[in-house]
Amino acid sequence: MKLKIPDAVLSIAPYVPGKPISALERELGVVNSIKLASNENPIGPSPLALEALQTVFDGLNRYPDGGAYDLVHKLSEKLGVPPEKIVIGAGSDDIIGMLTRALLLPGDQAVMPKPSFLMYDIMVRSASAEPVCVPLKSLAIDLEEMAARISSKTRMLFLTNPNNPTGTGITKTDFERFLENIPEEVVVVVDEAYIEFVRDPDCVESIGYVQAERPIVVLRTFSKAYGLAGLRVGYGIMPEDMALLLHRVRQPFNVNTLAQTAATAALDDHDFLEQTLNLVHAGLDYIGRRLDEMNIKHFPTQANFLLVDVGQNADEIYDRLLRKGLIVRSMTSYGFPHYIRVTVGLPEENKRFVDALEDVLNI
Ligand SMILES: *Cc1c(COP(=O)(O)O)cnc(C)c1O
């Protein structure tokens, strides 16, 4: 290519998503496979969301509501947050992109935990800014070190609560102490993609900290607990002046009609959410118990997935599980060469996973 490609773009490591079931079946000829790799809701989408979708097909010749009025107002009511503080995105990924486009100049720095969600790194580099990665400490985000790495170039800082891929939470006490050390010019982005699954009562929910004087942005998504990953819809809660900045760089029709309709209806589907949380928590307990019986080390989690220490090369275990029709994530590229990450599935899927692992590890 004769094009002059920006170094920042060349520095981006392409995102590798969890393998889709169709790809596994195509590549290895495995049938009946299950995916426990992308922290999706195993039950399916919210039935109320599916029902609401039926009502909007006829209107798909029209552009979506660019302001997502119904969804914004439903969220406002539910969360007790003024509509002016809510920005809707095509997944929370979209909000991360708006934040980095609106707020970062080339050469600015953004502090982030590592390993954590890869989109922070990708979006920061896309803005020609510099990710400053802070290693986890005992699988948890090292808040002290994150604060210590702030420099005069730092504009943004990412926290993930609970963290992906480790499932660790941030306590209220630690979060408040951390905020005291953060200069007001640094935007603190708290990604709460898994907040609905949290069981630890000490774990912080940060929406209450979003005030005009404090640039805090909370990210939430419909991709996990609400079962709408395929539609791409999420949101950010932030001070109003920051929301106005994000609207400037937002694509005017970033969230399609189906996504808006389904998300609005899903917020009313209390039964579905309850069923999801019960299933995930029971699944975590079941997997944990079985792994304990097999003397396989695993780690406490506040999310809908867990890290398992397979005690040997995780890529190999991943591969052997794949051949049995089980898609999980190897954590080798995240710096954990012996760990796999498994999303909680349906009861029979969880059983199939543990049985397969038992078999593969020859226990
Ligand atoms: C899954 C996930 C998201 C959700 O991304 P969407 O774009 O809303 O699907 C965000 N953050 C983390 C840490 C995640 O694991």
Side-chain angles (χ1 to χ4, degrees):
M1 274 195 299
K2 285 241 165 76
L3 302 177
K4 186 168 159 24
I5 312 292
D7 287 343
V9 172
L10 292 174
S11 79
I12 297 172
Y15 183 81
V16 183
K19 193 185 264 303
I21 287 176
S22 55
L24 173 60
E25 309 208 325
R26 195 168 58 235
E27 290 163 18
L28 293 179
V30 180
V31 291
N32 236 330
S33 41
I34 53 179
K35 185 180 173 200
L36 303 174
S38 300
N39 306 336
E40 295 146 336
N41 191 320
I43 303 176
S46 137
L48 279 191
L50 289 181
E51 206 180 297
L53 285 176
Q54 305 294 328
T55 67
V56 293
F57 290 141
D58 286 348
L60 289 180
N61 53 318
R62 306 289 176 198
Y63 281 104
D65 172 5
Y69 184 93
D70 290 344
L71 180 53
V72 165
H73 283 79
K74 173 75 73 180
L75 281 169
S76 164
E77 201 180 298
K78 184 185 151 81
L79 302 169
V81 170
E84 295 76 23
K85 292 189 169 186
I86 302 172
V87 177
I88 311 293
S92 33
D93 290 358
D94 190 23
I95 313 269
I96 300 169
M98 290 181 225
L99 283 165
T100 54
R101 282 203 299 284
L103 301 172
L104 297 181
L105 284 171
D108 284 347
Q109 292 181 341
V111 178
M112 60 189 71
K114 188 171 180 176
S116 187
F117 194 45
L118 293 169
M119 290 313 293
Y120 315 145
D121 181 277
I122 292 174
M123 296 298 188
V124 166
R125 286 177 197 269
S126 301
S128 294
E130 185 193 339
V132 173
C133 297
V134 178
L136 302 182
K137 194 167 145 190
S138 312
L139 298 186
I141 292 177
D142 187 348
L143 291 172
E144 264 178 50
E145 188 60 20
M146 299 252 330
R149 294 294 297 275
I150 290 174
S151 76
S152 58
K153 289 185 178 175
T154 309
R155 295 281 164 272
M156 199 174 284
L157 184 148
F158 290 93
L159 297 178
T160 322
N161 183 39
N163 190 39
N164 178 8
T166 54
T168 52
I170 298 173
T171 67
K172 194 167 188 289
T173 321
D174 288 350
F175 183 66
E176 288 182 357
R177 191 176 309 141
F178 166 80
L179 282 185
E180 285 170 19
N181 294 320
I182 306 301
E184 305 256 327
E185 324 67 83
V186 175
V187 177
V188 176
V189 182
V190 190
D191 184 345
E192 297 188 339
Y194 301 97
I195 200 77
E196 293 89 354
F197 299 105
V198 167
R199 283 196 278 187
D200 178 358
D202 292 333
C203 193
V204 70
E205 278 201 39
S206 50
I207 288 181
Y209 298 85
V210 178
Q211 297 159 3
E213 321 83 72
R214 266 241 84 112
I216 295 180
V217 176
V218 183
L219 302 180
R220 298 264 179 106
T221 181
F222 289 92
S223 297
K224 310 287 158 60
Y226 289 96
L228 298 176
L231 281 176
R232 317 299 304 121
V233 51
Y235 58 96
I237 309 287
M238 64 202 80
E240 190 180 336
D241 52 357
M242 203 176 295
L244 289 170
L245 284 178
L246 262 62
H247 284 305
R248 291 178 185 240
V249 300
R250 181 173 69 79
Q251 291 188 42
F253 303 112
N254 60 327
V255 183
N256 71 63
T257 306
L258 300 179
Q260 290 187 33
T261 306
T264 308
L267 286 173
D268 282 331
D269 206 338
H270 307 294
D271 289 349
F272 176 77
L273 186 61
E274 191 185 319
Q275 193 195 346
T276 298
L277 299 185
N278 288 341
L279 181 111
V280 165
H281 293 152
L284 280 173
D285 295 345
Y286 167 81
I287 296 172
R289 210 163 45 239
R290 290 277 317 267
L291 294 175
D292 286 342
E293 283 162 16
M294 290 160 23
N295 276 322
I296 297 175
K297 195 170 166 197
H298 57 97
F299 301 94
T301 178
Q302 298 302 321
N304 64 342
F305 55 82
L306 75 161
L307 279 189
V308 181
D309 181 351
V310 293
Q312 51 184 291
N313 188 308
D315 281 348
E316 234 159 78
I317 300 303
Y318 163 82
D319 222 57
R320 275 144 74 183
L321 288 171
L322 209 53
R323 278 157 212 286
K324 291 175 167 289
L326 283 144
I327 312 171
V328 300
R329 280 289 181 102
S330 165
M331 290 288 111
T332 306
S333 61
Y334 286 74
F336 299 125
H338 290 175
Y339 296 177
I340 56 172
R341 190 193 69 192
V342 189
T343 307
V344 176
L346 299 171
E348 59 273 23
E349 295 175 332
N350 300 332
K351 179 172 187 310
R352 230 181 102 186
F353 160 70
V354 192
D355 289 348
L357 189 64
E358 187 168 27
D359 199 34
V360 156
L361 292 174
N362 259 324
I363 295 172

